[in-house]
Amino acid sequence: MNEKIRQIVDDTLKKWRITSPPVQVEEIAKKEGLALVYKESENDKWSGMLYRKGKTGIIAVNDKHHLNRQRFTIAHELGHFFLSEDDTDVYVDNAVIRFRNETSSLGTDMEEIEANNFAAELLMPEDFIRKDIEEYKDEIDEWDVFELAQKYGVSEQAMTIRLVKLGYMQMH
């Protein structure tokens, strides 16, 4: 599945001529025919939702969350959009509704794991990371993680996880 995710992300980046970070996930969503709606919500457990009907849909995002989290949520929902062609979780008028909530990041639901992997690959493409890592001659430290997170528009936690998964860092 990771190879499939990487291929979809690579194709998407090429399609929209994205060659450097930060990846503008908002623009990708709009160009793919998805409307973005930022909803005010006091419920911190709710991050986002995908309402899909065929090749179009709406991504709703909790606008109370940090911008980096909103970007991850959009990328996560794009993952559901690209990866699930015939999803049957919940239908409303023949449309699929997907929510991103506090359990999405726990790694227990395969569709959520795949959407999180898609989001990480889209926001922090392996090829982009590899190119940036070549600039670091020593072991990557906290400052490097901070700089990379800023450059990619993600949290330091997301960048650390990505660097560990790609083998550039070890968890301590």
Side-chain angles (χ1 to χ4, degrees):
M1 178 49 89
N2 284 337
E3 201 50 48
K4 177 183 176 186
I5 288 171
R6 184 154 185 215
Q7 189 60 57
I8 293 169
V9 168
D10 286 349
D11 291 347
T12 301
L13 295 174
K14 284 182 184 119
K15 178 180 179 181
W16 302 119
R17 296 185 177 104
I18 298 168
T19 58
S20 62
V23 173
Q24 299 300 320
V25 291
E26 303 87 348
E27 291 302 313
I28 292 172
K30 290 175 187 174
K31 288 175 179 177
E32 291 291 342
L34 297 166
L36 289 176
V37 177
Y38 295 85
K39 300 292 288 176
E40 184 173 329
S41 176
E42 297 301 323
N43 181 355
D44 191 50
K45 295 178 180 178
W46 175 83
S47 297
M49 176 194 88
L50 170 64
Y51 171 90
R52 177 187 184 153
K53 189 165 188 173
K55 300 281 185 202
T56 64
I58 299 168
I59 293 176
V61 180
N62 186 339
D63 73 355
K64 293 287 188 192
H65 288 170
H66 188 280
L67 181 60
N68 290 342
R69 186 165 178 190
Q70 290 179 28
R71 286 173 37 77
F72 194 89
T73 295
I74 293 166
H76 175 97
E77 299 305 342
L78 280 169
H80 285 305
F81 183 76
F82 282 113
L83 296 171
S84 16
E85 296 170 17
D86 192 313
D87 212 329
T88 57
D89 278 353
V90 178
Y91 283 89
V92 177
D93 295 328
N94 295 324
V96 177
I97 296 181
R98 302 294 259 129
F99 286 93
R100 182 175 185 325
N101 57 33
E102 75 278 5
T103 62
S104 299
S105 62
L106 296 178
T108 55
D109 178 325
M110 189 46 95
E111 289 179 356
E112 294 304 313
I113 293 168
E114 289 173 355
N116 283 337
N117 288 340
F118 183 94
E121 184 69 42
L122 183 62
L123 290 168
M124 300 166 279
E126 185 173 352
D127 292 341
F128 293 10
I129 294 283
R130 186 180 307 110
K131 188 174 158 185
D132 283 331
I133 292 299
E134 288 174 2
E135 297 175 17
Y136 298 101
K137 307 223 181 327
D138 301 324
E139 186 176 315
I140 298 168
D141 62 22
E142 289 177 22
W143 180 252
D144 300 330
V145 172
F146 172 78
E147 286 182 327
L148 287 167
Q150 295 293 310
K151 181 175 184 174
Y152 284 78
V154 298
S155 69
E156 290 174 57
Q157 179 185 14
M159 181 56 71
T160 300
I161 292 168
R162 185 72 172 143
L163 292 171
V164 168
K165 284 189 175 185
L166 293 175
Y168 294 113
M169 284 182 70
Q170 292 182 2
M171 289 299 272
H172 299 291

